[in-house]
Amino acid sequence: MDQILSLAAENLLSPIILFFVLGFAAAYAKSDLTVPEAVAKAMSLYLLFAIGFKGGASVASHGVDTALILSLVAGVVLSFVLPLVAFALLRVMSGLDVTNAAAVAAHYGSISIVTFVAGTSVLDSAGLAGEGFMVAVAAAMEAPAILAALWLIARYGDKTNSEEMDGELLREILLNGSIVLLIGSFLIGAITGADGLARIESFIVAPFQGVLCLFLLDMGLVAGRGLRSAAGVLRPGLLAFGIVMPLVGSLFGLAAGILIGLSAGGVALFMVLSASASYIAVPAAMRVALPEANPSIYLTLSLGVTFPFNLTLGIPIYLAIARTVTGG
């Protein structure tokens, strides 16, 4: 417990967390502080490019092995199973209807790449490094959760509202910009290896932390405004779910990482991925697949509740547990 509290206190005083808190507080106080949309988009592209390329270069040095294959399989399985767990918890804790519960559940099987990036930053500060192929696992965990939500609707929802896997939805899932850039950068990094990384290291390594701080300032602004505007929608059961589900998901990631035999850093990152909730790829897909679901519920839960929890308390908890269990 002392280790967790120490890590949490250290993480809370890190620049990336403090910039998120600044944005959140500014939005809640109705400040006119804003980050231009074009700038926010550029920072998002930069972070996806940097983390994908560095992960690919790491895999080029590490090589393809059993741990990589097992991690990819485990990621896909978890991405499909976690929405089923989330759906059951939502029905018990909040009483949401099937459609909204399925839409929310999809977000908690998919991943937040920004939470993943923040997790890698915390690991670096703690002197730990996760396996480079965890970037590929993050990409693999995007789509299965959406399929799980559609299955839940087909199984428990109104049959007339069930969605087919039509071309538009399939395109939304597979060609989502964040996934394309992340996977593409990962493949280019894997192809070019250490030599490619050395050529652009000054662009994707040194500026990374500063860009991440500014991006999280923007995320804090978005989260604060969303939580303020949707305060009447989020009942106590839903708010509790937004904190309980990440903890439950992290335990699934812990089990997967240990069974595969990952390092302490790899186990911690698997926990971060399993605990995070999407607020980019899945909302876009839900607009197509389940247009009748209420965005103010699933977006505010994932971005306004779970995301801040993971940034401030969740990541230190996952890291401390991973260290304790693996002896790392």
Side-chain angles (χ1 to χ4, degrees):
M1 180 58 70
D2 290 341
Q3 182 186 17
I4 293 176
L5 292 175
S6 175
L7 278 170
E10 182 180 344
N11 195 42
L12 286 170
L13 295 177
S14 67
I16 60 173
I17 302 302
L18 292 177
F19 271 100
F20 177 84
V21 172
L22 172 62
F24 192 92
Y28 228 82
K30 300 183 179 181
S31 167
D32 62 355
L33 175 63
T34 59
V35 175
E37 186 176 349
V39 175
K41 181 68 173 178
M43 291 190 294
S44 175
L45 292 174
Y46 170 84
L47 293 173
L48 289 168
F49 159 67
I51 195 69
F53 193 96
K54 287 187 289 186
S58 176
V59 167
S61 301
H62 176 81
V64 177
D65 57 11
T66 304
L68 167 59
I69 296 172
L70 289 178
S71 296
L72 287 171
V73 172
V76 170
V77 171
L78 282 177
S79 182
F80 192 89
V81 169
L82 286 174
L84 309 184
V85 177
F87 182 81
L89 282 176
L90 279 165
R91 297 288 281 170
V92 172
M93 296 178 67
S94 69
L96 277 182
D97 61 272
V98 170
T99 299
N100 279 302
V104 171
H107 291 69
Y108 286 83
S110 187
I111 60 98
S112 159
I113 193 63
V114 180
T115 306
F116 176 76
V117 171
T120 59
S121 178
V122 172
L123 284 179
D124 289 341
S125 299
L128 287 176
E131 285 76 359
F133 58 69
M134 290 306 295
V135 179
V137 176
M141 291 180 71
E142 288 276 17
I146 300 169
L147 301 179
L150 297 180
W151 181 85
L152 286 167
I153 288 292
R155 177 69 176 81
Y156 299 105
D158 184 348
K159 305 302 181 186
T160 61
N161 288 334
S162 298
E163 294 290 332
E164 299 289 337
M165 181 58 74
D166 58 19
E168 185 181 3
L169 178 58
L170 187 62
R171 182 182 181 281
E172 193 74 47
I173 294 172
L174 298 180
L175 295 181
N176 180 275
S178 61
I179 299 176
V180 171
L181 180 57
L182 184 65
I183 295 177
S185 300
F186 177 84
L187 292 175
I188 293 171
I191 292 169
T192 58
D195 290 339
L197 179 61
R199 293 182 182 183
I200 60 173
E201 185 174 7
S202 60
F203 177 67
I204 66 172
V205 176
F208 186 84
Q209 289 288 327
V211 175
L212 181 59
C213 286
L214 288 177
F215 186 76
L216 285 174
L217 171 68
D218 182 53
M219 287 292 96
L221 290 168
V222 174
R225 290 169 186 146
L227 193 61
R228 192 184 67 215
S229 62
V233 178
L234 297 183
R235 299 187 294 272
L238 279 173
L239 291 172
F241 169 84
I243 295 174
V244 170
M245 185 59 206
L247 297 173
V248 172
S250 72
L251 296 179
F252 281 83
L254 173 66
I258 291 173
L259 289 174
I260 294 168
L262 299 180
S263 65
V267 171
L269 287 179
F270 227 131
M271 294 177 74
V272 170
L273 288 173
S274 301
S276 64
S278 173
Y279 54 82
I280 299 175
V282 175
M286 287 300 103
R287 284 199 300 269
V288 177
L290 298 174
E292 64 273 24
N294 187 350
S296 64
I297 296 177
Y298 57 69
L299 266 178
T300 307
L301 265 181
S302 60
L303 184 56
V305 179
T306 298
F307 183 64
F309 169 76
N310 277 328
L311 280 187
T312 54
L313 296 176
I315 292 174
I317 291 173
Y318 312 144
L319 176 54
I321 292 174
R323 272 178 158 173
T324 301
V325 173
T326 63

